[in-house]
Amino acid sequence: MHEGPAPSRRAFLRDAATAGLIAAAPGLVVTACTPPTRTEAAPDSTGPGRTRAAGDLTSNAYGHSNADHARGNLRRDIVEAWEDGFRTAAGNGDPNVFEGWHSAFTGDDGTTVSFALSTRLDDGFVPDPGEAGRRPKATVTVTDPDGTTHGGVHTCAWNEFAGAKDRCDLRLGPFTCAGDLKTYRMKGRSGDVGVDLTLTGLVPPFRPGTGIVYLGDTEDHFGWLCAVPSGTAAGTVTVGGRERPFTGRGHHDHTWGNRPFPYSVEHWRWARGSVGQYSVIGSELRLRNEYDSAVVPVFLVDDTRSRRRLVGAFDPRTVTATESDPRPHPGDGYPKDYYSKVHWMYRDGDDRADFTFTDTDHLIFTRQYVTDPAQPQKAALDRLGIDETWYTRYATTNDLHLSVAATRVSGTGTGALEAAQFGLATAPPKSGRTPTGSSPATPTPGRHGPPAPAGRRG
């Protein structure tokens, strides 16, 4: 049964992270392939975040206690189909609530596809968004191997949107997305750009604990579910009215929230990549001082050949991320440098993994949000101490060193790294050097889509 948006109060969630296998890569060394599943599903009571006085509920970290799972009606270690459904239906009337389903594909021939359906124009990046931002959109792009991008944002009225609550089954204007945590189909066409792709998961879904971060002692929260961390993709893409076959890899994830990110998040880093048969996701969100300056990490390693999960960690005692090598930002207008390298480190007893993402000087996409804020937005930004808000995504090379139980892996590969800054206080100062890379003439959208059309805030 489909449920249209029902105006109400604030409801559910949103997050920062996602997954997928980008490309096989040379330089892989593997020994002893008999790995057990390693999923850090339930850190002990002294684990990440802090415990609320009432009911053993977790704040400022992904929930992991029995009480956290009961609160969300969630089963520990088991992801159910409804979790990828329209979770914010009851609260959709509140402009602060947001939700999005994101899929990305890399073709064997180098073609890339981005397919995202969202309930808000600004994806939760803008404080006090107001009713003007409460509008659904589809972001569908096809980027040729030479870097030429086709497609963009397709906005819709609410009577053109429908979403099931018991599974992922969405319609937004001419676009649809439906799946069951194993197989998904994304289909639709706008103008001369269209896609009809089927994504088949190679590994199980991943939810870090409850997948939900509650903020302080409030009901404010965001959440993330990676329904397909890595899968095979097949179908067709249409560009300029001409249809062509597509085969490759892809991923699908889901984010939601009931309060825009600037109120709680200082910045985040989110990355995905591959080294041969191994797909990796790393993320780190740093919360604002009001929420204990908490660090919320994720580190995921899957063997797509054996379909086994080697690492599924989200405890800051076992996962850390370190930024280094500041460089001039290749995007016009960015007033500081940025960190071009992020190293995720996992340590749990004798198990260890290191994964480093390094910028290739190829900027995929960058966008500054709220460049012309309305008065309520300006007041909110001033109150929060946020000067500028930026999102950047760039291509990377990857280095993986993994030692988990009987598996030893060392190799190199490729991927992508995303950075979101809600205020530039934590960005490295501008060095005055000239960027070595350049922005593509037509930037490829990242998770949050291409720049808004002229005249639209955020």
Side-chain angles (χ1 to χ4, degrees):
M1 174 180 171
H2 283 280
E3 298 285 343
S8 179
R9 294 179 181 269
R10 291 188 293 183
F12 253 35
L13 298 57
R14 150 69 158 159
D15 159 90
T18 245
L21 186 66
I22 302 291
L28 178 67
V29 178
V30 183
T31 62
C33 292
T34 56
T37 298
R38 287 286 302 173
T39 300
E40 179 190 270
D44 61 45
S45 59
T46 63
R50 57 183 169 92
T51 301
R52 303 187 188 199
D56 194 27
L57 297 173
T58 304
S59 293
N60 308 332
Y62 287 117
H64 51 269
S65 69
N66 289 335
D68 293 327
H69 284 81
R71 180 187 202 181
N73 194 28
L74 298 165
R75 300 172 65 185
R76 191 183 292 276
D77 298 330
I78 297 176
V79 178
E80 298 180 294
W82 69 265
E83 298 180 48
D84 201 25
F86 185 19
R87 299 181 69 146
T88 64
N92 187 59
D94 184 344
N96 289 296
V97 170
F98 58 95
E99 187 164 11
W101 296 260
H102 318 274
S103 304
F105 307 89
T106 299
D108 297 332
D109 65 351
T111 299
T112 61
V113 177
S114 175
F115 186 101
L117 305 183
S118 310
T119 64
R120 296 294 182 268
L121 294 177
D122 55 41
D123 303 296
F125 271 57
V126 176
D128 202 347
E131 187 63 24
R134 198 186 71 84
R135 187 175 177 185
K137 68 172 183 180
T139 305
V140 180
T141 60
V142 177
T143 302
D144 297 329
D146 67 2
T148 304
T149 295
H150 314 269
V153 175
H154 182 100
T155 58
C156 295
W158 282 113
N159 61 9
E160 299 177 273
F161 175 89
K165 295 194 292 185
D166 62 345
R167 64 197 185 282
C168 179
D169 191 357
L170 305 161
R171 176 183 59 81
L172 205 163
F175 298 101
T176 59
C177 175
D180 60 2
L181 302 179
K182 297 178 181 177
T183 304
Y184 284 79
R185 188 177 184 185
M186 295 79 175
K187 184 178 180 180
R189 179 171 174 173
S190 179
D192 64 353
V193 174
V195 299
D196 186 354
L197 297 174
T198 298
L199 175 65
T200 303
L202 290 171
V203 294
F206 179 68
R207 172 184 8 102
T210 63
I212 303 167
V213 176
Y214 279 90
L215 300 162
D217 295 322
T218 74
E219 295 302 305
D220 297 338
H221 52 258
F222 56 80
W224 176 64
L225 169 70
C226 195
V228 180
S230 181
T232 60
T236 62
V237 298
T238 300
V239 173
R242 299 183 62 181
E243 183 179 278
R244 64 181 192 248
F246 181 98
T247 58
R249 302 282 189 173
H251 81 276
H252 170 76
D253 73 353
H254 180 185
T255 59
W256 64 99
N258 69 353
R259 190 158 173 79
F261 287 116
Y263 292 106
S264 60
V265 178
E266 183 181 84
H267 69 258
W268 83 54
R269 306 293 180 257
W270 180 91
R272 76 176 190 274
S274 66
V275 174
Q277 70 201 59
Y278 299 93
S279 65
V280 181
I281 296 172
S283 73
E284 183 188 73
L285 289 86
R286 290 187 177 264
L287 303 185
R288 290 173 57 88
N289 292 338
E290 301 95 295
Y291 303 108
D292 303 334
S293 300
V295 177
V296 185
V298 165
F299 190 68
L300 181 68
V301 183
D302 287 321
D303 182 342
T304 63
R305 187 172 298 165
S306 67
R307 300 174 185 261
R308 301 293 299 275
R309 178 144 298 141
L310 304 182
V311 180
F314 57 96
D315 187 336
R317 296 172 301 178
T318 61
V319 179
T320 59
T322 303
E323 299 175 304
S324 61
D325 194 11
R327 299 181 187 176
H329 195 284
D332 293 337
Y334 194 86
K336 291 193 174 185
D337 284 4
Y338 76 108
Y339 291 109
S340 63
K341 181 179 293 187
V342 183
H343 172 216
W344 271 269
M345 183 172 68
Y346 168 71
R347 299 289 186 270
D348 188 5
D350 293 333
D351 293 334
R352 56 188 53 232
D354 293 271
F355 202 76
T356 303
F357 289 77
T358 303
D359 181 17
T360 62
D361 293 326
H362 172 58
L363 175 66
I364 298 174
F365 173 73
T366 189
R367 175 184 175 185
Q368 182 182 2
Y369 283 77
V370 280
T371 56
D372 182 22
Q375 184 55 43
Q377 295 168 345
K378 185 178 186 307
L381 291 168
D382 290 343
R383 186 170 64 253
L384 293 166
I386 295 176
D387 50 359
E388 296 185 11
T389 298
W390 284 81
Y391 169 85
T392 303
R393 184 176 185 227
Y394 50 91
T396 63
T397 57
N398 309 328
D399 293 287
L400 172 65
H401 302 280
L402 175 73
S403 176
V404 176
T407 299
R408 307 290 185 270
V409 176
S410 292
T412 59
T414 57
L417 179 62
E418 301 180 9
Q421 289 281 159
F422 301 97
L424 298 179
T426 61
K430 200 169 187 65
S431 64
R433 293 184 296 165
T434 301
T436 55
S438 60
S439 174
T442 305
T444 304
R447 294 168 61 87
H448 303 289
R456 182 183 299 158
R457 295 187 181 93

